[in-house]
Amino acid sequence: MEHVDTDDLWQLPVQQSPLGMAKVGLDGTLLAVNRTFAEMLGRTADELVRCRFQDITHPDDLHNDVTNFRRTLAGELDSYRARKRYFHADGHVVWADLSVFLMHHPNGAPQHFVTQILDITEQQAREEQLEAAREEVERERQMLETVFETVGVGLLLIGPDGRYLRMNRRHVEAMKMAHPNGHDSIAGQPGHIYSADGRTQLAAEDLPSYRAMQGEEFDGYTNWTGSDERTRRAYSISARTVRGPSGERLGAAVAYQEVTELMRAIQVKDDFVASVSHELRTPLTSVLGYLEILADNGSLPQDVRAQVQVVRRNALRLQSLVSDLLEVGEFAETGVSLQRESVDIARIAREAAEAAGPLAERAAVELTADVPDWLVAWVDEDRVRQVLDNLLSNGVKYSAAGDAVRLVLRQVGQAIEIEIRDTGMGIADDDLPHVFDRFYRGAIARSEQIAGTGLGLDIVRTIVEAHGGSITCDSVLDQGTTFRVCLPVGT
Ligand code: ADP
């Protein structure tokens, strides 16, 4: 218990203190207040003196304050400290940090309270703002967490060093199939992960997580996961780089969309097409053989021979369709096998232009070739011929009488460039990005019923790429189309 002459406390230093101070009677009446406290509540010291602290305290804090006050009076506490709210003269709330001491007479009887009051209104407002922001962030986090866990897509976040930072439940399931013996949580760990063909196991550098870690961004990268053919799953994978506010790379986000059903359906379709084409080949060969004999039969009347020719032409078309179908199936199954040798491409180009001559003549399309005498490259002769035949016949097929098709062959550095340009009907902008897709036929080809299967350019591109080359297509509707093939000269 302190025995101090408390009147001394109300000297000048108290009046000037940056801390609010009040002397409070045992019934709660304010006996004296300093200027800081009076200003804190927007009143004069005279107005405050003789008020009871109960009258200027926020009702929600009153119970606590009064309880502490009584317990101190009862001798249970020497002093107490509390946060409470006062009312300012203009009605607004003033937050205060209160330290309350009970002073005693020399004889030990309670004399009065001395209270120190620190205005913490601004600090309180800041804390409330901070708390509101924290709650907002937490709400946002919980919402994202829910989305992260419930989306039907496997999600993985990778740090810049390849370490796995986060993954959702779906991705955990996929990981179990790919790595039944566990995973080190770092990008690029090979497992039961196969390319779209379902057979080739992916090397570390081809794994989507590894590619994403390297900063690659991609969509529609298809993989199979799992070693058991019956239960394995196919995923279409996308990756994006994650950047911080100032553009620094924080890592990568990888999304795994399951496409097992779709991939199985594609497989069933491919198998179906392959087996139907296979079954058609033998009877067609036989039909063509007999048609050949019939066509050569001089004893048939002229009109019947003409009809046999029509049947034969159509049977030939059917045969070329079947062989295209078989070829596409074979490419998908085993890839293109190339018989490379040193070949004079100039000769092949001249022969291809010659072979397309009759077709162009019938269509009244002018066909010209600008080919050097000699240009050797390390290629598969039959496959390159196939490319040229396809592009030249398309050029003629999608042109009208009076149009022109031009074949230009030249060497550009270490590459051979084949350009096939026509002044035909051109390709609509909507169709252009798809012309190399399997079975894709342009709108005009369909509406004008121009014969075709939509396989030619798929085959052409597969062959060109197997040679390590590339093919592009530029076209303007009603003005014409240019295909440009680039093949490395090779060794
Ligand atoms: P097909 O000719 O059997 O339809 P392709 O794969 O050879 O199949 O071609 C795909 C589509 O690309 C065609 O249906 C056509 O719409 C378009 N196309 C190809 N070549 C040309 C061309 N030279 N001019 C205009 N359109 C073309």
Side-chain angles (χ1 to χ4, degrees):
M1 289 187 202
E2 296 176 51
H3 301 280
V4 180
D5 182 3
T6 53
D7 281 345
D8 292 348
L9 290 173
W10 297 97
Q11 300 308 315
L12 198 61
V14 170
Q15 281 304 331
Q16 297 302 324
S17 167
L19 218 58
M21 296 198 73
K23 192 154 89 173
V24 182
L26 300 183
D27 61 350
T29 307
L30 301 181
L31 304 174
V33 298
N34 72 350
R35 201 165 58 203
T36 308
F37 184 48
E39 279 170 5
M40 204 186 289
L41 300 189
R43 300 171 196 269
T44 62
D46 286 348
E47 280 171 349
L48 281 175
V49 170
R50 279 180 300 282
C51 277
R52 288 174 353 121
F53 78 84
Q54 294 89 327
D55 302 330
I56 50 172
T57 296
H58 193 287
D60 290 353
D61 297 334
L62 201 53
H63 175 73
N64 199 23
D65 208 10
V66 170
T67 306
N68 281 328
F69 190 82
R70 286 195 184 135
R71 288 183 64 199
T72 312
L73 260 184
E76 291 173 36
L77 307 171
D78 283 342
S79 62
Y80 65 90
R81 188 151 180 207
R83 258 182 194 211
K84 64 175 269 190
R85 283 162 287 182
Y86 289 107
F87 282 115
H88 189 273
D90 68 9
H92 80 253
V93 164
V94 175
W95 273 95
D97 183 349
L98 227 63
S99 301
V100 183
F101 307 90
L102 180 56
M103 298 300 167
H104 296 84
H105 285 292
N107 64 10
Q111 188 180 10
H112 59 245
F113 289 88
V114 169
T115 306
Q116 291 182 322
I117 309 120
L118 179 65
D119 185 346
I120 56 163
T121 309
E122 274 182 25
Q123 180 191 338
Q124 181 72 23
R126 267 199 307 276
E127 279 174 19
E128 279 171 13
Q129 274 171 3
L130 202 67
E131 186 53 29
R134 212 178 283 136
E135 276 172 20
E136 180 62 33
V137 168
E138 178 60 12
R139 252 198 310 278
E140 190 95 335
R141 196 193 64 76
Q142 280 184 358
M143 216 166 68
L144 287 176
E145 180 71 28
T146 313
V147 172
F148 190 74
E149 283 302 336
T150 49
V151 280
V153 175
L155 294 173
L156 168 67
L157 279 173
I158 307 175
D161 57 354
R163 299 211 167 271
Y164 287 9
L165 303 178
R166 288 283 316 264
M167 66 181 92
N168 68 355
R169 199 169 30 82
R170 282 209 169 235
H171 190 66
V172 172
E173 285 164 24
M175 291 267 289
K176 280 189 206 142
M177 294 203 99
H179 307 279
N181 299 323
H183 190 271
D184 299 338
S185 285
I186 185 141
Q189 181 178 330
H192 297 297
I193 305 168
Y194 305 88
S195 64
D197 68 12
R199 285 182 301 275
T200 319
Q201 191 168 13
L202 291 189
E205 61 272 18
D206 293 326
L207 291 171
S209 57
Y210 186 87
R211 290 178 55 192
M213 174 191 83
Q214 297 293 100
E216 259 189 78
E217 297 198 335
F218 50 84
D219 286 300
Y221 184 40
T222 315
N223 294 168
W224 281 98
T225 293
S227 54
D228 185 338
E229 290 247 344
R230 288 159 307 155
T231 57
R232 67 183 183 174
R233 296 187 199 156
Y235 292 96
S236 172
I237 304 157
S238 306
R240 292 287 179 279
T241 298
V242 179
R243 297 197 180 279
S246 45
E248 75 279 18
R249 203 163 76 86
L250 297 180
V254 193
Y256 296 72
Q257 167 86 50
E258 202 196 325
V259 291
T260 311
E261 292 304 315
L262 178 68
M263 291 292 282
R264 290 205 197 285
I266 291 173
Q267 186 62 49
V268 167
K269 185 200 74 187
D270 287 352
D271 291 351
F272 175 76
V273 169
S275 70
V276 167
S277 0
H278 197 77
E279 291 306 316
L280 282 174
R281 189 164 55 175
T282 318
L284 250 180
T285 313
S286 158
V287 166
L288 272 164
Y290 280 104
L291 282 171
E292 210 75 47
I293 295 167
L294 270 180
D296 289 345
N297 187 340
S299 63
L300 285 179
Q302 190 59 36
D303 55 342
V304 176
R305 274 172 61 186
Q307 286 159 3
V308 168
Q309 282 306 340
V310 174
V311 176
R312 186 168 166 270
R313 252 202 327 276
N314 282 298
L316 278 170
R317 261 189 60 198
L318 215 57
Q319 191 187 39
S320 101
L321 195 157
V322 166
S323 78
D324 276 1
L325 282 174
L326 280 170
E327 194 141 64
V328 166
E330 202 180 294
F331 287 175
E333 188 73 10
T334 56
V336 193
S337 65
L338 296 178
Q339 310 290 322
R340 281 181 186 246
E341 53 193 330
S342 219
V343 173
D344 178 10
I345 295 200
R347 174 179 53 80
I348 308 177
R350 269 191 300 274
E351 287 169 4
E354 233 167 81
L359 186 73
E361 215 167 292
R362 271 202 301 280
V365 170
E366 186 198 6
L367 176 62
T368 54
D370 178 0
V371 176
D373 291 340
W374 193 72
L375 197 49
V376 172
W378 184 252
V379 294
D380 182 321
E381 173 164 348
D382 289 342
R383 293 301 188 194
V384 171
R385 191 188 305 276
Q386 213 176 340
V387 167
L388 288 163
D389 287 348
N390 247 305
L391 294 177
L392 283 172
S393 74
N394 271 358
V396 174
K397 199 162 71 169
Y398 297 105
S399 292
D403 278 326
V405 175
R406 184 163 178 77
L407 161 66
V408 180
L409 177 72
R410 58 176 162 247
Q411 179 158 1
V412 181
Q414 280 307 295
I416 282 173
E417 191 179 272
I418 304 167
E419 186 183 281
I420 291 170
R421 177 189 294 269
D422 67 61
T423 60
M425 56 186 66
I427 300 171
D429 287 347
D430 286 352
D431 287 329
L432 203 53
H434 304 290
V435 289
F436 294 103
D437 294 354
R438 192 171 301 170
F439 295 116
Y440 192 86
R441 307 215 63 219
I444 305 175
R446 280 179 280 127
S447 65
E448 306 274 316
Q449 300 194 336
I450 300 171
T453 55
L455 292 173
L457 289 180
D458 177 37
I459 293 174
V460 164
R461 183 174 58 177
T462 309
I463 294 173
V464 169
E465 288 178 355
H467 278 88
S470 61
I471 178 165
T472 56
C473 174
D474 293 312
S475 188
V476 178
L477 201 57
D478 294 329
Q479 291 189 23
T481 303
T482 304
F483 284 94
R484 206 165 279 121
V485 176
C486 237
L487 290 175
V489 173
T491 47

